[in-house]
Amino acid sequence: MLAESGRRIRVVTRDPPLATTSCAAGALWGPYLFSDERVPGWSEVTRQELTDLAKQGEHTGVRVLLGLEAARVQVPVPAWAQHLAGYRRATGPELPAGFRLGWWYHAPLVDMPAYLGYLVERLRWSRVQVELIGVPSLDRALELAPIAVNCTGLGAAALTGDRSVQPVRGQLVVVRNPGIDWFFAEHDESPAPTYFLPHGDRLVLGGSIEADRHDLRPDRDIATAILERCATIAPELRHAEVIEDRVGLRPHRPTVRLEYERVDRGHVIHNYGHGGAGVTVSWGCARDVMRLVHQVDNQT
Ligand SMILES: Cc1cc2nc3c(=O)[nH]c(=O)nc-3n(C[C@H](O)[C@H](O)[C@H](O)COP(=O)(O)OP(=O)(O)OC[C@H]3O[C@@H](n4cnc5c(N)ncnc54)[C@H](O)[C@@H]3O)c2cc1C
């Protein structure tokens, strides 16, 4: 957004885009796991932006898809879901075994490797290259530019000393898609939520939420359990060919840190700590970063 507003910017990253947490995400739009009052606004801005990208074509990596969200216990249907296109309560026969209620809706679904490639390409249209540079400190970042926008996810812990950013591990299994063209998502907060998300000829199966584990090695037992849980919902997955195991560490923080900080050497705008919903709030957060950059302009 900054580049497209005509500003001179540099994008530096320690890891290439395909080696980030973002690349590991499923990634379904849905404002979960957040008790931050800014989330509904950020999510809605992002939903509209992703919906526009879906209309532009497959090269963006974004599609809007119909899917079923279901809960094993009686819960209120989230208000945000009830406003989405295609919303309706699931009928009894539509519910998988073990689920008490469910609801259908259309939501953006993002094929992250494709989407990240699209974003890199879109930066190139603004004549910005992604530079592979690890930044050891915010001071070093401010030697590169007078305003640093700190979107370092989990890396923010080392960069800012913020100990409230913690990794929450997530594991997924990618299989050859046997022909499923709808998504399934278990509602909220189970440590082993079951979901499958179709991306063309691949299907991303989830998942896991592990707070005290930091390794990126795929865990066989977790992968087997994911496959089994998904196959109870869609039996055609029982013999699906596994293509890839994906593991990522969500940058969890009690609340997202999106704020301005004046430091000796210049201006920092922090934008990190998006936990398990960073894709869902991304464009909304970016818009707020833009607003803060304009405020710095007006000060100086
Ligand atoms: C298994 C899994 C499933 C998920 N599913 C979903 C989903 O369905 N929907 C959803 O909305 N979200 C989902 N998420 C969450 C989402 O992936 C994250 O919230 C989001 O990717 C965080 O993005 P980020 O840019 O803050 O962090 P990252 O993607 O980690 O990017 C941080 C960037 O900062 C760079 N960096 C860090 N430190 C430095 C440094 N010192 N110098 C230079 N560069 C640095 C890194 O190299 C990287 O480029 C999921 C996450 C996981 C793990």
Side-chain angles (χ1 to χ4, degrees):
M1 287 173 84
L2 287 168
E4 288 172 2
S5 72
R7 212 166 245 283
R8 273 186 56 215
I9 70 153
R10 294 178 70 176
V11 175
V12 305
T13 168
R14 185 190 57 206
D15 308 294
L18 298 186
T20 57
T21 299
S22 295
C23 194
L28 179 63
W29 178 92
Y32 302 105
L33 303 176
F34 266 136
S35 50
D36 189 318
E37 62 184 15
R38 299 166 295 178
V39 166
W42 288 337
S43 304
E44 185 48 25
V45 169
T46 309
R47 193 182 67 79
Q48 288 175 16
E49 192 70 36
L50 292 175
T51 301
D52 285 348
L53 289 178
K55 287 181 191 148
Q56 288 176 30
E58 272 184 19
H59 67 287
T60 62
V62 187
R63 284 188 309 152
V64 174
L65 207 68
L66 181 66
L68 172 65
E69 179 165 333
R72 295 179 196 271
V73 293
Q74 199 62 43
V75 290
V77 177
W80 57 261
Q82 298 180 42
H83 298 115
L84 297 177
Y87 171 79
R88 71 169 174 83
R89 287 289 287 264
T91 60
E94 288 173 335
L95 286 175
F99 286 85
R100 288 279 298 275
L101 78 160
W103 50 96
W104 294 88
Y105 57 84
H106 279 95
L109 185 63
V110 186
D111 180 350
M112 289 308 289
Y115 177 62
L116 291 173
Y118 160 77
L119 291 179
V120 169
E121 189 58 30
R122 188 160 150 182
L123 272 174
R124 267 195 215 118
W125 300 338
S126 298
R127 298 199 171 74
V128 179
Q129 300 286 338
V130 174
E131 300 173 71
L132 284 183
I133 299 176
V135 177
S137 65
L138 290 175
D139 279 353
R140 174 73 188 112
L142 289 166
E143 287 169 14
L144 302 175
I147 304 175
V149 182
N150 172 20
C151 304
T152 52
L154 214 47
L159 213 52
T160 65
D162 181 348
R163 286 164 178 243
S164 65
V165 202
Q166 292 289 333
V168 174
R169 187 180 184 279
Q171 184 166 329
L172 305 172
V173 181
V174 184
V175 299
R176 183 107 26 231
N177 189 349
I180 292 175
D181 60 0
W182 55 288
F183 70 81
F184 176 83
E186 180 173 353
H187 179 65
D188 259 3
E189 308 231 17
S190 149
T194 302
Y195 52 92
F196 51 78
L197 311 170
H199 294 297
D201 60 355
R202 289 166 304 125
L203 196 68
V204 174
L205 315 182
S208 75
I209 301 177
E210 302 152 86
D212 293 313
R213 193 167 163 185
H214 305 172
D215 65 288
L216 287 170
R217 237 174 327 103
D219 180 317
R220 247 329 82 226
D221 292 343
I222 291 178
T224 305
I226 288 172
L227 276 161
E228 269 170 22
R229 291 201 312 274
C230 288
T232 62
I233 292 160
E236 61 268 51
L237 290 174
R238 199 156 298 284
H239 302 293
E241 179 197 343
V242 174
I243 301 172
E244 181 195 352
D245 293 291
R246 275 196 208 165
V247 182
L249 302 176
R250 302 173 180 91
H252 175 77
R253 193 174 184 275
T255 57
V256 173
R257 186 174 185 200
L258 202 165
E259 65 187 16
Y260 168 74
E261 185 182 13
R262 179 79 172 103
V263 294
D264 288 347
R265 279 176 183 258
H267 309 274
V268 178
I269 293 161
H270 298 284
N271 179 24
Y272 66 84
H274 301 86
V279 180
T280 302
V281 295
S282 52
W283 287 95
C285 290
R287 194 184 61 173
D288 278 4
V289 167
M290 285 277 284
R291 193 174 41 77
L292 292 174
V293 170
H294 289 316
Q295 280 177 17
V296 174
D297 285 344
N298 293 336
Q299 276 172 33
T300 50

